[in-house]
Amino acid sequence: MHKIILLLDFAEEYSKSLMKGINAYSKEFGPWIFCRMPLFHRETIGIDGILKWALEWGADGIVGQLYNKEIDKIIRAGIPVIAQDFKERFTEIPNITGAYHEAGQMGADYFLKKGFTNFAFYGFNDIVWSRERAEGFEEHLRKKGHKVHYFEHKKARSTELWYYKPSSLSRWLKSLPKPIGLMTCDDNQGQHITEACRHVGIRIPEEVAVLGVDNDEMICDLSDPPLSSIALDVEKGGYDAAKLLDYMIKHGTSEYYDIIVKPTQVITRHSTDIYATNDDHIASSLKYIHQNIDKNLHVDEVVKQVPLSRRALEKRFLEITGYPIYKYIFNLRIEKFTQKLLDTDMSVFEIALDMGLGDSKNIARQFRQAKGCSPSAYRNKYLAGK
């Protein structure tokens, strides 16, 4: 029975999801004994005190947020350790890290598909998960011929960003070209932006559409308006980390690898629920599609919403969005289906009924066409313990 110390931020949804995954592995292959050690111990007794207590308790392993400068002491202690890269990645021990560039690219692609041509990023240049999300966001947009606006540019010190500064931040937000798709490094900073915009009367999402990362539902719902966010497969990351730690405890620490937490999809809430277009007919069509996607929506119903012929609307819709109407409906339906697949335990048949679709086999076939695997295989891939 392994004895594991968890040195995590237990108030964060990310840490809670990690623990769910770790616990799922423990129940399957343990049980393990856990010591939940609040992060303030890292500041009060320091790494020396933590390691001393770990050796006295007989800890078999540690998963936690550790300072990179303390790596020598961690290695000398001889306890298998997996670090959550809350500042920078370790090179000497395994990390629970993320496909951060991929998350940035997903955010960029999301805004591009919504028709935006202006883009901004708000985050920290000296923290790996923020810096690489910004890089992925900018790289993807640069390939499409776009540039990214940064708050006080990349030279801003992280200490300048942690605090709400109405003056400098407000001036930056007011100076941005509108409408603009703004990605933040995480949901905390996303709520920071929505609050700053509210204070100075910038409309969300009409002028600034805001996208966070982590899909921390409490933060996203506290935001005014509710914050869209990129969901991550953190629970699976916790399960995979526990599996690696189990191996290291049994076979030594010489062989290890990083645990990569991947982004799964964008969860759309009000802060991005818009398409960036000045064409009123297309805006009306898109609003109708988004409001009725949980019904068995057809192109004819969309055409009835505007005073244009089907051919005229189809042509204008394709020019502005880059997609035929049927394809846009298809993509959005798959997005909503995927969200229900990961957020609920409903069967494919039940999800199809919930979305007003009578033929579950057809939606399963369409899902395979879009994602390259069956709905059940996709669900297993992104849920812990499968």
Side-chain angles (χ1 to χ4, degrees), residues 116-180:
F116 285 91
T117 55
N118 300 310
F119 307 92
F121 191 93
Y122 179 67
F124 315 107
N125 192 36
D126 61 351
I127 301 175
V128 63
W129 45 266
S130 176
R131 183 177 63 248
E132 291 188 1
R133 283 168 182 163
E135 289 170 355
F137 188 69
E138 184 172 19
E139 286 164 8
H140 192 70
L141 290 169
R142 194 169 57 237
K143 290 176 184 175
K144 305 291 184 179
H146 302 290
K147 73 171 189 174
V148 176
H149 299 267
Y150 288 90
F151 175 59
E152 295 180 3
H153 308 289
K154 293 188 175 182
K155 297 176 183 176
R157 299 190 303 275
S158 64
T159 52
E160 292 176 337
L161 296 174
W162 283 112
Y163 303 99
Y164 179 47
K165 290 187 172 182
S167 56
S168 58
L169 183 58
S170 299
R171 283 196 301 270
W172 179 67
L173 288 168
K174 286 179 178 179
S175 73
L176 295 173
K178 314 289 193 307
I180 193 165

Side-chain angles (χ1 to χ4, degrees), residues 39 77 181:
L39 277 183

Side-chain angles (χ1 to χ4, degrees), residues 79-268:
I79 301 172
V81 175
I82 300 179
Q84 181 189 337
D85 64 348
F86 80 111
K87 289 290 185 183
E88 295 291 337
R89 294 188 188 90
F90 287 84
T91 55
E92 305 88 346
I93 57 175
N95 302 274
I96 300 173
T97 185
Y100 302 132
H101 286 96
E102 191 174 324
Q105 291 163 9
M106 183 178 288
D109 195 49
Y110 176 76
F111 281 133
L112 285 168
K113 286 180 178 177
K114 282 185 166 288
F116 285 91
T117 55
N118 300 310
F119 307 92
F121 191 93
Y122 179 67
F124 315 107
N125 192 36
D126 61 351
I127 301 175
V128 63
W129 45 266
S130 176
R131 183 177 63 248
E132 291 188 1
R133 283 168 182 163
E135 289 170 355
F137 188 69
E138 184 172 19
E139 286 164 8
H140 192 70
L141 290 169
R142 194 169 57 237
K143 290 176 184 175
K144 305 291 184 179
H146 302 290
K147 73 171 189 174
V148 176
H149 299 267
Y150 288 90
F151 175 59
E152 295 180 3
H153 308 289
K154 293 188 175 182
K155 297 176 183 176
R157 299 190 303 275
S158 64
T159 52
E160 292 176 337
L161 296 174
W162 283 112
Y163 303 99
Y164 179 47
K165 290 187 172 182
S167 56
S168 58
L169 183 58
S170 299
R171 283 196 301 270
W172 179 67
L173 288 168
K174 286 179 178 179
S175 73
L176 295 173
K178 314 289 193 307
I180 193 165
L182 191 157
M183 182 174 175
T184 62
C185 61
D186 66 3
D187 293 334
N188 279 309
Q189 307 317 307
Q191 189 190 14
H192 191 167
I193 292 295
T194 59
E195 180 69 9
C197 285
R198 191 174 65 83
H199 270 277
V200 295
I202 294 173
R203 293 175 300 139
I204 298 174
E206 290 83 0
E207 294 179 276
V208 178
V210 188
L211 175 67
V213 184
D214 287 340
N215 195 36
D216 187 319
E217 292 189 3
M218 180 63 72
I219 296 172
C220 291
D221 289 340
L222 282 173
S223 170
D224 179 22
L227 182 69
S228 298
S229 185
I230 296 176
L232 311 173
D233 63 342
V234 185
E235 236 180 277
K236 184 176 184 298
Y239 183 92
D240 292 344
K243 183 178 180 180
L244 172 60
L245 189 61
D246 192 16
Y247 179 88
M248 292 169 67
I249 291 168
K250 292 173 180 175
H251 302 284
T253 58
S254 59
E255 294 183 26
Y256 62 84
Y257 49 87
D258 285 345
I259 303 300
I260 310 296
V261 175
K262 294 180 73 66
T264 56
Q265 63 178 329
V266 176
I267 306 300
T268 297

Side-chain angles (χ1 to χ4, degrees), residues 15-39:
S15 292
K16 291 177 183 177
S17 296
L18 275 181
M19 287 190 293
K20 284 181 185 177
I22 292 169
N23 192 43
Y25 185 90
S26 162
K27 286 182 176 178
E28 193 172 345
F29 296 100
W32 294 0
I33 298 172
F34 295 103
C35 169
R36 294 194 313 132
M37 186 174 285
L39 277 183

